Amino acid sequence: QVQLVESGGGLVQAGDSLRLSCAASGRTFSTYTMAWFRQAPGKEREFVAGITKRSDSTYFADSVKGRSTISRDNAKNTVWLQMNSLKPEDTAVYYCAASRWASLVSSTGNSYDYWGQGTQVTVSS
């Protein structure tokens, strides 16, 4: 089992950057495929980005592609989401998720076994 704690959210202006962090407990972090999802008020949760266990592959939603990066450090049990050129439509609660069984990044929430509590990102125009 793994516990996930997100941090790094906040209130920023359009065009700013944010780096979200997700710290995982346990000694098996390297066996999890990791991803970030987000949920805006009144909208369904959506996939943002994901990274495989050994950082072999990353995958991004079209909405953030080209202005976001995802990375992880298995020695530090941490995954990061760097978001640049933020837009008001990026406003949402961002969640970190872990999949024990997925070998590739999945954009489907049901593929992930563990979730963090979320961190709020608010982008003002």
Side-chain angles (χ1 to χ4, degrees):
Q1 188 171 356
V2 63
Q3 293 183 326
L4 306 173
V5 178
E6 302 94 336
S7 62
L11 173 62
V12 298
Q13 293 185 336
D16 285 351
S17 298
L18 270 182
R19 190 192 197 199
L20 304 182
S21 300
C22 173
S25 65
R27 295 175 289 181
T28 59
F29 178 72
S30 63
T31 65
Y32 291 87
T33 292
M34 301 298 297
W36 288 92
F37 287 77
R38 68 187 182 187
Q39 187 166 20
K43 295 187 178 181
E44 294 186 354
R45 182 181 59 195
E46 64 174 359
F47 172 82
V48 177
I51 186 168
T52 50
K53 301 172 185 180
R54 297 183 179 181
S55 303
D56 304 281
S57 179
T58 59
Y59 184 65
F60 297 90
D62 289 342
S63 58
V64 302
K65 193 176 297 181
R67 57 188 184 95
S68 298
T69 58
I70 185 171
S71 58
R72 66 188 294 169
D73 185 333
N74 289 340
K76 296 182 178 179
N77 282 15
T78 303
V79 60
W80 297 275
L81 177 67
Q82 175 73 39
M83 300 186 67
N84 303 318
S85 302
L86 284 161
K87 305 174 183 180
E89 50 263 45
D90 293 319
T91 295
V93 177
Y94 283 71
Y95 298 92
C96 177
S99 174
R100 179 68 177 87
W101 305 109
S103 57
L104 299 175
V105 173
S106 172
S107 60
T108 303
N110 290 342
S111 298
Y112 296 87
D113 309 293
Y114 304 103
W115 295 81
Q117 293 301 306
T119 185
Q120 175 71 47
V121 172
T122 303
V123 184
S124 64
S125 57

